[in-house]
Amino acid sequence: MALMQVRGDWAPMRGALEKIAAISRSPQAILEAIALELEDNTRRRFTTNVAPDGTPWAPLNPVYASSRKPLPILVQSGQLRQQLPTEVRGPTIIVGSAMPYGGTHQFGATIIPRTEPRLKFKMGGKFFSPKKVVIPARPFLGFGAEDRVAVEEQLHLALELAMRAR
């Protein structure tokens, strides 16, 4: 029979395990750190023009693109990118859009006239009168691979800090 005995002061390990357990009892700080990462990733999508799942956003209508400032898609005024309230409610992280047109860009929309038979607008110096206009979905909210990496990194950091504490 072979045996091995390990003796020593287990207090540092016990202290680290208690700090790890404290994270699960009171996760507010780690959730807030994760929320900031998710908010940053969401803002980055306005530069990369890529949805959370990695799909490129639909390009702008060429006539519309020629009549606007040469900026990335969904960044004309910058409001949609800037107004992303992020909140932690209990175990839930919420990242959303405060802008009324946020849903139109996230999910897409079809615009039809309410009182006239056709829409009427000017774009690129030309007048248009279509029966409807379809705005494609350009999802900027969601949870993708880069978000998963950010969450894992924050959890790893929290565990690493807890294990170093004595």
Side-chain angles (χ1 to χ4, degrees), residues 42-50 57 60 64 68-82 84 101 105 138 140:
T42 302
R43 281 202 172 86
R44 198 171 299 113
R45 292 183 188 116
F46 288 89
T47 303
T48 62
N49 296 332
V50 174
W57 287 349
L60 292 174
Y64 174 68
R68 71 190 288 272
K69 296 176 192 173
L71 294 167
I73 298 172
L74 302 187
V75 185
Q76 189 66 20
S77 71
Q79 291 292 331
L80 188 61
R81 177 177 51 188
Q82 292 307 316
L84 291 171
Y101 49 85
H105 293 302
R138 295 184 177 102
F140 55 96

Side-chain angles (χ1 to χ4, degrees), residues 2 4 7 17 22 53 62 78 108 110-111 113 127 130 144 146 158:
M4 180 178 90
R7 289 185 187 184
L17 291 173
D53 67 2
T110 300
I111 300 171
F127 287 96
E146 68 180 1

Side-chain angles (χ1 to χ4, degrees), residues 110-120 130-133:
T110 300
I111 300 171
I112 56 172
R114 289 185 183 176
T115 58
E116 299 290 326
R118 298 173 101 48
L119 297 166
K120 294 175 187 164
K131 289 185 178 183
K132 67 179 180 178
V133 171

